[in-house]
Amino acid sequence: NQTGGLGGEMRGSLYRVYVAADVYGWYKVGGVAGQKDNGATDITFVGTVVSEPQSGSEYRAGGIFGDFNGNSGTSSNLVVNATITAIFGPTYNRAGGLIGSLKDQTIKDSSFTGTVSCAKQCGGIAGVVDSNSNFDNVSTSGTVTGLNGTGGIVGLYNSGTAVAEYLNNVNNQANITGTDSVGGLIGKGTGNSDTLLLTIKGGSRNS
C-alpha cells in the first residue's frame, strides 16, 4: 500500500537524501517514501512517480512523500525535478510536486520543477493540505494539469481547526490547466471564517 524510492513507510526525521528513480504504486506513492511521519531536511528526488488506483481507494502521489504527517514540525530544502502522475481512478486523487497529502507541517526553502497531472486535488507543491500546514519560500515551475481543485502551489487547502495558516513568499511559474476550482496559487479552499484563516504574503503566480 505504501511505495517509495527509498522506503515504503518511514518514521523519524530524515536528512541529506538523494534519490533518482522511477517509482510505481497504487495507494501512497512517493519518490522517497510512500508514507512519512516527522520532518525532513535536504531531500532531493529526480525521476517519475506514478500512482494507479485500485477500486475504492483514495490515492496520494508526491515527488518526495505520498502522505506526510509532519507532527507540527518544519521540513526544508526539499527539491524535486520529476513527472508526477496520479492515473484517473474511481475516487479522489491527491497529487503534488513535493507531497501528495500534507498535514501539520511547515515546508520552507523548497522547489518543484516538472509535471503534475491527476483528476482531482493537484498542486505544484502539495495536492491536499490539512490543518496547521504552512509554506515559506517555495516555488514551482513546469505544468500542473487536473480537473477539479488544481493549483500552482496547493490543489485543495482544507482547514479543520482555527489555526492561522500562511503562504509566505511563494512563487508559481508553472502553467495551470483545469476545468473547475483552478488557481495560480490555490485551486480550492474549504472551511468557513472560523476555521480557514489563510494569509498570503508576497505570492506570485503564472497561469
Side-chain angles (χ1 to χ4, degrees):
N1 290 348
Q2 293 87 22
T3 306
L6 184 63
E9 182 175 358
M10 305 183 73
R11 302 181 185 275
S13 298
L14 191 64
Y15 302 96
R16 297 179 181 174
V17 171
Y18 179 94
V19 176
D22 296 324
V23 184
Y24 177 92
W26 67 267
Y27 179 37
K28 298 177 180 180
V29 187
V32 176
Q35 170 75 50
K36 178 70 172 69
D37 294 336
N38 299 306
T41 302
D42 296 332
I43 312 296
T44 299
F45 174 77
V46 177
T48 61
V49 175
V50 178
S51 172
E52 183 172 11
Q54 304 296 310
S55 177
S57 63
E58 292 186 2
Y59 49 104
R60 299 132 194 213
I64 300 287
F65 307 126
D67 188 271
F68 188 18
N69 185 344
N71 293 319
S72 301
T74 297
S75 291
S76 61
N77 298 323
L78 310 181
V79 178
V80 172
N81 189 331
T83 298
I84 315 298
T85 305
I87 295 174
F88 293 9
T91 55
Y92 292 104
N93 301 269
R94 296 180 176 186
L98 299 184
I99 313 294
S101 182
L102 176 68
K103 182 178 181 181
D104 292 336
Q105 184 75 176
T106 293
I107 304 294
K108 64 181 298 185
D109 302 331
S110 298
S111 65
F112 171 76
T113 301
T115 300
V116 179
S117 59
C118 69
K120 300 178 181 178
Q121 303 170 357
C122 308
I125 297 294
V128 173
V129 173
D130 286 320
S131 59
N132 196 26
S133 296
N134 308 301
F135 299 90
D136 187 0
N137 191 31
V138 300
S139 64
T140 61
S141 63
T143 303
V144 181
T145 302
L147 298 178
N148 185 292
T150 306
I153 302 297
V154 175
L156 172 65
Y157 220 120
N158 181 29
S159 180
T161 59
V163 176
E165 300 171 296
Y166 65 84
L167 301 179
N168 182 49
N169 191 28
V170 296
N171 180 13
N172 167 45
Q173 294 298 320
N175 293 312
I176 314 302
T177 302
T179 57
D180 187 26
S181 299
V182 181
L185 298 181
I186 300 172
K188 183 177 182 180
T190 65
N192 55 42
S193 59
D194 294 327
T195 60
L196 182 59
L197 306 176
L198 180 64
T199 301
I200 298 176
K201 299 178 181 179
S204 64
R205 58 96 179 122
N206 174 53
S207 61

PDB file of all heavy atoms in Angstrom, residues 169-204:
ATOM      1  N   ASN A 169       5.902  34.271   0.656  1.00  0.00           N
ATOM      2  CA  ASN A 169       6.923  34.302  -0.378  1.00  0.00           C
ATOM      3  C   ASN A 169       6.877  33.045  -1.256  1.00  0.00           C
ATOM      4  O   ASN A 169       7.863  32.335  -1.420  1.00  0.00           O
ATOM      5  CB  ASN A 169       8.319  34.455   0.244  1.00  0.00           C
ATOM      6  CG  ASN A 169       9.380  34.759  -0.796  1.00  0.00           C
ATOM      7  OD1 ASN A 169       9.087  35.344  -1.836  1.00  0.00           O
ATOM      8  ND2 ASN A 169      10.602  34.345  -0.523  1.00  0.00           N
ATOM      9  N   VAL A 170       5.701  32.765  -1.787  1.00  0.00           N
ATOM     10  CA  VAL A 170       5.534  31.622  -2.683  1.00  0.00           C
ATOM     11  C   VAL A 170       5.537  32.112  -4.129  1.00  0.00           C
ATOM     12  O   VAL A 170       5.050  33.200  -4.438  1.00  0.00           O
ATOM     13  CB  VAL A 170       4.242  30.839  -2.385  1.00  0.00           C
ATOM     14  CG1 VAL A 170       4.310  30.223  -1.004  1.00  0.00           C
ATOM     15  CG2 VAL A 170       3.013  31.727  -2.499  1.00  0.00           C
ATOM     16  N   ASN A 171       6.083  31.316  -5.014  1.00  0.00           N
ATOM     17  CA  ASN A 171       6.261  31.726  -6.402  1.00  0.00           C
ATOM     18  C   ASN A 171       5.894  30.577  -7.321  1.00  0.00           C
ATOM     19  O   ASN A 171       6.578  29.556  -7.349  1.00  0.00           O
ATOM     20  CB  ASN A 171       7.712  32.154  -6.624  1.00  0.00           C
ATOM     21  CG  ASN A 171       7.974  32.596  -8.056  1.00  0.00           C
ATOM     22  OD1 ASN A 171       7.049  32.813  -8.835  1.00  0.00           O
ATOM     23  ND2 ASN A 171       9.240  32.704  -8.404  1.00  0.00           N
ATOM     24  N   ASN A 172       4.804  30.740  -8.055  1.00  0.00           N
ATOM     25  CA  ASN A 172       4.405  29.731  -9.027  1.00  0.00           C
ATOM     26  C   ASN A 172       4.666  30.228 -10.438  1.00  0.00           C
ATOM     27  O   ASN A 172       4.088  31.215 -10.871  1.00  0.00           O
ATOM     28  CB  ASN A 172       2.921  29.385  -8.886  1.00  0.00           C
ATOM     29  CG  ASN A 172       2.432  28.582 -10.082  1.00  0.00           C
ATOM     30  OD1 ASN A 172       3.103  27.658 -10.515  1.00  0.00           O
ATOM     31  ND2 ASN A 172       1.293  28.954 -10.622  1.00  0.00           N
ATOM     32  N   GLN A 173       5.527  29.529 -11.151  1.00  0.00           N
ATOM     33  CA  GLN A 173       5.781  29.821 -12.558  1.00  0.00           C
ATOM     34  C   GLN A 173       5.302  28.683 -13.454  1.00  0.00           C
ATOM     35  O   GLN A 173       5.638  28.627 -14.626  1.00  0.00           O
ATOM     36  CB  GLN A 173       7.273  30.080 -12.782  1.00  0.00           C
ATOM     37  CG  GLN A 173       7.782  31.334 -12.100  1.00  0.00           C
ATOM     38  CD  GLN A 173       7.105  32.599 -12.600  1.00  0.00           C
ATOM     39  OE1 GLN A 173       6.860  32.751 -13.787  1.00  0.00           O
ATOM     40  NE2 GLN A 173       6.786  33.505 -11.688  1.00  0.00           N
ATOM     41  N   ALA A 174       4.533  27.765 -12.887  1.00  0.00           N
ATOM     42  CA  ALA A 174       4.010  26.650 -13.670  1.00  0.00           C
ATOM     43  C   ALA A 174       2.777  27.072 -14.455  1.00  0.00           C
ATOM     44  O   ALA A 174       2.039  27.984 -14.059  1.00  0.00           O
ATOM     45  CB  ALA A 174       3.658  25.476 -12.751  1.00  0.00           C
ATOM     46  N   ASN A 175       2.519  26.401 -15.565  1.00  0.00           N
ATOM     47  CA  ASN A 175       1.286  26.574 -16.324  1.00  0.00           C
ATOM     48  C   ASN A 175       0.215  25.677 -15.712  1.00  0.00           C
ATOM     49  O   ASN A 175       0.430  24.471 -15.546  1.00  0.00           O
ATOM     50  CB  ASN A 175       1.509  26.213 -17.790  1.00  0.00           C
ATOM     51  CG  ASN A 175       2.449  27.181 -18.477  1.00  0.00           C
ATOM     52  OD1 ASN A 175       2.301  28.383 -18.357  1.00  0.00           O
ATOM     53  ND2 ASN A 175       3.439  26.645 -19.183  1.00  0.00           N
ATOM     54  N   ILE A 176      -0.941  26.280 -15.366  1.00  0.00           N
ATOM     55  CA  ILE A 176      -2.002  25.572 -14.663  1.00  0.00           C
ATOM     56  C   ILE A 176      -3.175  25.359 -15.605  1.00  0.00           C
ATOM     57  O   ILE A 176      -3.672  26.316 -16.222  1.00  0.00           O
ATOM     58  CB  ILE A 176      -2.492  26.361 -13.435  1.00  0.00           C
ATOM     59  CG1 ILE A 176      -1.312  26.874 -12.618  1.00  0.00           C
ATOM     60  CG2 ILE A 176      -3.420  25.501 -12.590  1.00  0.00           C
ATOM     61  CD1 ILE A 176      -0.375  25.820 -12.129  1.00  0.00           C
ATOM     62  N   THR A 177      -3.643  24.108 -15.699  1.00  0.00           N
ATOM     63  CA  THR A 177      -4.783  23.787 -16.555  1.00  0.00           C
ATOM     64  C   THR A 177      -5.785  22.949 -15.771  1.00  0.00           C
ATOM     65  O   THR A 177      -5.421  21.951 -15.145  1.00  0.00           O
ATOM     66  CB  THR A 177      -4.343  22.994 -17.801  1.00  0.00           C
ATOM     67  OG1 THR A 177      -3.373  23.740 -18.527  1.00  0.00           O
ATOM     68  CG2 THR A 177      -5.544  22.705 -18.706  1.00  0.00           C
ATOM     69  N   GLY A 178      -7.055  23.348 -15.779  1.00  0.00           N
ATOM     70  CA  GLY A 178      -8.105  22.597 -15.108  1.00  0.00           C
ATOM     71  C   GLY A 178      -9.460  23.051 -15.582  1.00  0.00           C
ATOM     72  O   GLY A 178      -9.578  23.985 -16.383  1.00  0.00           O
ATOM     73  N   THR A 179     -10.528  22.410 -15.076  1.00  0.00           N
ATOM     74  CA  THR A 179     -11.878  22.740 -15.509  1.00  0.00           C
ATOM     75  C   THR A 179     -12.735  23.343 -14.395  1.00  0.00           C
ATOM     76  O   THR A 179     -13.706  24.040 -14.675  1.00  0.00           O
ATOM     77  CB  THR A 179     -12.596  21.486 -16.047  1.00  0.00           C
ATOM     78  OG1 THR A 179     -12.608  20.478 -15.043  1.00  0.00           O
ATOM     79  CG2 THR A 179     -11.878  20.947 -17.282  1.00  0.00           C
ATOM     80  N   ASP A 180     -12.401  23.097 -13.109  1.00  0.00           N
ATOM     81  CA  ASP A 180     -13.212  23.590 -12.004  1.00  0.00           C
ATOM     82  C   ASP A 180     -12.307  23.823 -10.799  1.00  0.00           C
ATOM     83  O   ASP A 180     -11.459  22.982 -10.481  1.00  0.00           O
ATOM     84  CB  ASP A 180     -14.317  22.581 -11.660  1.00  0.00           C
ATOM     85  CG  ASP A 180     -15.293  23.116 -10.625  1.00  0.00           C
ATOM     86  OD1 ASP A 180     -15.440  24.350 -10.533  1.00  0.00           O
ATOM     87  OD2 ASP A 180     -15.899  22.308  -9.911  1.00  0.00           O
ATOM     88  N   SER A 181     -12.477  24.948 -10.119  1.00  0.00           N
ATOM     89  CA  SER A 181     -11.668  25.302  -8.946  1.00  0.00           C
ATOM     90  C   SER A 181     -10.177  25.275  -9.294  1.00  0.00           C
ATOM     91  O   SER A 181      -9.417  24.425  -8.837  1.00  0.00           O
ATOM     92  CB  SER A 181     -11.961  24.366  -7.771  1.00  0.00           C
ATOM     93  OG  SER A 181     -13.310  24.447  -7.369  1.00  0.00           O
ATOM     94  N   VAL A 182      -9.778  26.248 -10.122  1.00  0.00           N
ATOM     95  CA  VAL A 182      -8.406  26.330 -10.617  1.00  0.00           C
ATOM     96  C   VAL A 182      -7.804  27.662 -10.178  1.00  0.00           C
ATOM     97  O   VAL A 182      -8.445  28.704 -10.308  1.00  0.00           O
ATOM     98  CB  VAL A 182      -8.365  26.227 -12.153  1.00  0.00           C
ATOM     99  CG1 VAL A 182      -6.939  26.286 -12.671  1.00  0.00           C
ATOM    100  CG2 VAL A 182      -9.058  24.954 -12.624  1.00  0.00           C
ATOM    101  N   GLY A 183      -6.579  27.641  -9.642  1.00  0.00           N
ATOM    102  CA  GLY A 183      -5.951  28.877  -9.204  1.00  0.00           C
ATOM    103  C   GLY A 183      -4.456  28.881  -9.413  1.00  0.00           C
ATOM    104  O   GLY A 183      -3.813  27.822  -9.401  1.00  0.00           O
ATOM    105  N   GLY A 184      -3.893  30.075  -9.593  1.00  0.00           N
ATOM    106  CA  GLY A 184      -2.458  30.183  -9.762  1.00  0.00           C
ATOM    107  C   GLY A 184      -1.696  29.733  -8.538  1.00  0.00           C
ATOM    108  O   GLY A 184      -0.609  29.162  -8.646  1.00  0.00           O
ATOM    109  N   LEU A 185      -2.253  29.965  -7.339  1.00  0.00           N
ATOM    110  CA  LEU A 185      -1.629  29.509  -6.103  1.00  0.00           C
ATOM    111  C   LEU A 185      -2.413  28.373  -5.465  1.00  0.00           C
ATOM    112  O   LEU A 185      -1.848  27.336  -5.128  1.00  0.00           O
ATOM    113  CB  LEU A 185      -1.494  30.669  -5.110  1.00  0.00           C
ATOM    114  CG  LEU A 185      -0.618  31.841  -5.553  1.00  0.00           C
ATOM    115  CD1 LEU A 185      -0.556  32.895  -4.456  1.00  0.00           C
ATOM    116  CD2 LEU A 185       0.785  31.382  -5.931  1.00  0.00           C
ATOM    117  N   ILE A 186      -3.727  28.559  -5.255  1.00  0.00           N
ATOM    118  CA  ILE A 186      -4.570  27.557  -4.599  1.00  0.00           C
ATOM    119  C   ILE A 186      -5.764  27.248  -5.501  1.00  0.00           C
ATOM    120  O   ILE A 186      -6.456  28.159  -5.968  1.00  0.00           O
ATOM    121  CB  ILE A 186      -5.087  28.064  -3.241  1.00  0.00           C
ATOM    122  CG1 ILE A 186      -3.917  28.371  -2.309  1.00  0.00           C
ATOM    123  CG2 ILE A 186      -6.019  27.048  -2.600  1.00  0.00           C
ATOM    124  CD1 ILE A 186      -4.327  29.054  -1.027  1.00  0.00           C
ATOM    125  N   GLY A 187      -6.012  25.950  -5.720  1.00  0.00           N
ATOM    126  CA  GLY A 187      -7.166  25.570  -6.522  1.00  0.00           C
ATOM    127  C   GLY A 187      -8.470  25.769  -5.776  1.00  0.00           C
ATOM    128  O   GLY A 187      -9.404  26.404  -6.266  1.00  0.00           O
ATOM    129  N   LYS A 188      -8.541  25.251  -4.534  1.00  0.00           N
ATOM    130  CA  LYS A 188      -9.774  25.312  -3.761  1.00  0.00           C
ATOM    131  C   LYS A 188      -9.440  25.364  -2.279  1.00  0.00           C
ATOM    132  O   LYS A 188      -8.540  24.663  -1.818  1.00  0.00           O
ATOM    133  CB  LYS A 188     -10.649  24.081  -4.065  1.00  0.00           C
ATOM    134  CG  LYS A 188     -11.998  24.067  -3.361  1.00  0.00           C
ATOM    135  CD  LYS A 188     -12.812  22.851  -3.786  1.00  0.00           C
ATOM    136  CE  LYS A 188     -14.194  22.850  -3.136  1.00  0.00           C
ATOM    137  NZ  LYS A 188     -14.994  21.666  -3.558  1.00  0.00           N
ATOM    138  N   GLY A 189     -10.159  26.201  -1.521  1.00  0.00           N
ATOM    139  CA  GLY A 189     -10.025  26.255  -0.073  1.00  0.00           C
ATOM    140  C   GLY A 189     -11.345  25.916   0.576  1.00  0.00           C
ATOM    141  O   GLY A 189     -12.401  26.345   0.113  1.00  0.00           O
ATOM    142  N   THR A 190     -11.310  25.136   1.646  1.00  0.00           N
ATOM    143  CA  THR A 190     -12.538  24.772   2.349  1.00  0.00           C
ATOM    144  C   THR A 190     -12.485  25.295   3.773  1.00  0.00           C
ATOM    145  O   THR A 190     -11.436  25.641   4.300  1.00  0.00           O
ATOM    146  CB  THR A 190     -12.740  23.251   2.386  1.00  0.00           C
ATOM    147  OG1 THR A 190     -11.690  22.662   3.169  1.00  0.00           O
ATOM    148  CG2 THR A 190     -12.725  22.661   0.997  1.00  0.00           C
ATOM    149  N   GLY A 191     -13.638  25.319   4.434  1.00  0.00           N
ATOM    150  CA  GLY A 191     -13.753  25.860   5.782  1.00  0.00           C
ATOM    151  C   GLY A 191     -14.510  27.180   5.735  1.00  0.00           C
ATOM    152  O   GLY A 191     -14.783  27.735   4.681  1.00  0.00           O
ATOM    153  N   ASN A 192     -14.877  27.682   6.926  1.00  0.00           N
ATOM    154  CA  ASN A 192     -15.561  28.969   6.994  1.00  0.00           C
ATOM    155  C   ASN A 192     -14.666  29.995   7.674  1.00  0.00           C
ATOM    156  O   ASN A 192     -13.489  29.744   7.909  1.00  0.00           O
ATOM    157  CB  ASN A 192     -16.905  28.819   7.742  1.00  0.00           C
ATOM    158  CG  ASN A 192     -16.704  28.194   9.117  1.00  0.00           C
ATOM    159  OD1 ASN A 192     -15.771  28.536   9.833  1.00  0.00           O
ATOM    160  ND2 ASN A 192     -17.576  27.268   9.491  1.00  0.00           N
ATOM    161  N   SER A 193     -15.211  31.145   8.000  1.00  0.00           N
ATOM    162  CA  SER A 193     -14.390  32.227   8.550  1.00  0.00           C
ATOM    163  C   SER A 193     -13.773  31.861   9.895  1.00  0.00           C
ATOM    164  O   SER A 193     -12.791  32.472  10.322  1.00  0.00           O
ATOM    165  CB  SER A 193     -15.240  33.497   8.693  1.00  0.00           C
ATOM    166  OG  SER A 193     -16.342  33.265   9.549  1.00  0.00           O
ATOM    167  N   ASP A 194     -14.347  30.882  10.586  1.00  0.00           N
ATOM    168  CA  ASP A 194     -13.803  30.470  11.876  1.00  0.00           C
ATOM    169  C   ASP A 194     -12.703  29.428  11.740  1.00  0.00           C
ATOM    170  O   ASP A 194     -11.905  29.244  12.655  1.00  0.00           O
ATOM    171  CB  ASP A 194     -14.914  29.889  12.756  1.00  0.00           C
ATOM    172  CG  ASP A 194     -15.935  30.942  13.147  1.00  0.00           C
ATOM    173  OD1 ASP A 194     -15.528  32.106  13.314  1.00  0.00           O
ATOM    174  OD2 ASP A 194     -17.120  30.610  13.274  1.00  0.00           O
ATOM    175  N   THR A 195     -12.669  28.723  10.619  1.00  0.00           N
ATOM    176  CA  THR A 195     -11.714  27.622  10.504  1.00  0.00           C
ATOM    177  C   THR A 195     -10.651  27.835   9.450  1.00  0.00           C
ATOM    178  O   THR A 195      -9.579  27.266   9.547  1.00  0.00           O
ATOM    179  CB  THR A 195     -12.450  26.305  10.183  1.00  0.00           C
ATOM    180  OG1 THR A 195     -13.149  26.442   8.950  1.00  0.00           O
ATOM    181  CG2 THR A 195     -13.426  25.949  11.289  1.00  0.00           C
ATOM    182  N   LEU A 196     -10.919  28.639   8.455  1.00  0.00           N
ATOM    183  CA  LEU A 196      -9.924  28.867   7.406  1.00  0.00           C
ATOM    184  C   LEU A 196      -9.378  30.286   7.530  1.00  0.00           C
ATOM    185  O   LEU A 196      -9.977  31.240   7.090  1.00  0.00           O
ATOM    186  CB  LEU A 196     -10.532  28.647   6.026  1.00  0.00           C
ATOM    187  CG  LEU A 196      -9.557  28.803   4.850  1.00  0.00           C
ATOM    188  CD1 LEU A 196      -8.396  27.820   4.990  1.00  0.00           C
ATOM    189  CD2 LEU A 196     -10.271  28.596   3.527  1.00  0.00           C
ATOM    190  N   LEU A 197      -8.235  30.401   8.190  1.00  0.00           N
ATOM    191  CA  LEU A 197      -7.587  31.677   8.387  1.00  0.00           C
ATOM    192  C   LEU A 197      -6.283  31.637   7.603  1.00  0.00           C
ATOM    193  O   LEU A 197      -5.246  31.228   8.093  1.00  0.00           O
ATOM    194  CB  LEU A 197      -7.324  31.922   9.882  1.00  0.00           C
ATOM    195  CG  LEU A 197      -8.552  31.799  10.790  1.00  0.00           C
ATOM    196  CD1 LEU A 197      -8.141  31.958  12.241  1.00  0.00           C
ATOM    197  CD2 LEU A 197      -9.604  32.830  10.424  1.00  0.00           C
ATOM    198  N   LEU A 198      -6.350  32.044   6.369  1.00  0.00           N
ATOM    199  CA  LEU A 198      -5.234  31.863   5.449  1.00  0.00           C
ATOM    200  C   LEU A 198      -4.683  33.219   5.029  1.00  0.00           C
ATOM    201  O   LEU A 198      -5.414  34.074   4.560  1.00  0.00           O
ATOM    202  CB  LEU A 198      -5.704  31.090   4.216  1.00  0.00           C
ATOM    203  CG  LEU A 198      -4.659  30.813   3.137  1.00  0.00           C
ATOM    204  CD1 LEU A 198      -3.563  29.916   3.698  1.00  0.00           C
ATOM    205  CD2 LEU A 198      -5.321  30.144   1.944  1.00  0.00           C
ATOM    206  N   THR A 199      -3.401  33.411   5.217  1.00  0.00           N
ATOM    207  CA  THR A 199      -2.737  34.646   4.834  1.00  0.00           C
ATOM    208  C   THR A 199      -1.760  34.369   3.706  1.00  0.00           C
ATOM    209  O   THR A 199      -0.958  33.446   3.790  1.00  0.00           O
ATOM    210  CB  THR A 199      -1.970  35.241   6.023  1.00  0.00           C
ATOM    211  OG1 THR A 199      -2.894  35.501   7.087  1.00  0.00           O
ATOM    212  CG2 THR A 199      -1.283  36.540   5.625  1.00  0.00           C
ATOM    213  N   ILE A 200      -1.821  35.167   2.655  1.00  0.00           N
ATOM    214  CA  ILE A 200      -0.886  35.049   1.543  1.00  0.00           C
ATOM    215  C   ILE A 200      -0.025  36.309   1.514  1.00  0.00           C
ATOM    216  O   ILE A 200      -0.546  37.411   1.442  1.00  0.00           O
ATOM    217  CB  ILE A 200      -1.623  34.868   0.210  1.00  0.00           C
ATOM    218  CG1 ILE A 200      -2.445  33.577   0.230  1.00  0.00           C
ATOM    219  CG2 ILE A 200      -0.637  34.844  -0.949  1.00  0.00           C
ATOM    220  CD1 ILE A 200      -3.282  33.369  -1.007  1.00  0.00           C
ATOM    221  N   LYS A 201       1.282  36.125   1.611  1.00  0.00           N
ATOM    222  CA  LYS A 201       2.208  37.248   1.628  1.00  0.00           C
ATOM    223  C   LYS A 201       3.239  37.074   0.517  1.00  0.00           C
ATOM    224  O   LYS A 201       3.886  36.051   0.426  1.00  0.00           O
ATOM    225  CB  LYS A 201       2.933  37.322   2.974  1.00  0.00           C
ATOM    226  CG  LYS A 201       2.014  37.517   4.174  1.00  0.00           C
ATOM    227  CD  LYS A 201       2.828  37.525   5.460  1.00  0.00           C
ATOM    228  CE  LYS A 201       1.936  37.701   6.672  1.00  0.00           C
ATOM    229  NZ  LYS A 201       2.717  37.682   7.934  1.00  0.00           N
ATOM    230  N   GLY A 202       3.363  38.068  -0.295  1.00  0.00           N
ATOM    231  CA  GLY A 202       4.416  38.066  -1.296  1.00  0.00           C
ATOM    232  C   GLY A 202       4.287  36.964  -2.326  1.00  0.00           C
ATOM    233  O   GLY A 202       5.290  36.482  -2.851  1.00  0.00           O
ATOM    234  N   GLY A 203       3.079  36.509  -2.611  1.00  0.00           N
ATOM    235  CA  GLY A 203       2.889  35.428  -3.570  1.00  0.00           C
ATOM    236  C   GLY A 203       2.863  35.935  -5.007  1.00  0.00           C
ATOM    237  O   GLY A 203       2.435  37.046  -5.272  1.00  0.00           O
ATOM    238  N   SER A 204       3.318  35.110  -5.929  1.00  0.00           N
ATOM    239  CA  SER A 204       3.199  35.421  -7.345  1.00  0.00           C
ATOM    240  C   SER A 204       2.784  34.182  -8.084  1.00  0.00           C
ATOM    241  O   SER A 204       2.998  33.074  -7.622  1.00  0.00           O
ATOM    242  CB  SER A 204       4.545  35.947  -7.896  1.00  0.00           C
ATOM    243  OG  SER A 204       5.535  34.949  -7.827  1.00  0.00           O
TER     244      SER A 204
END
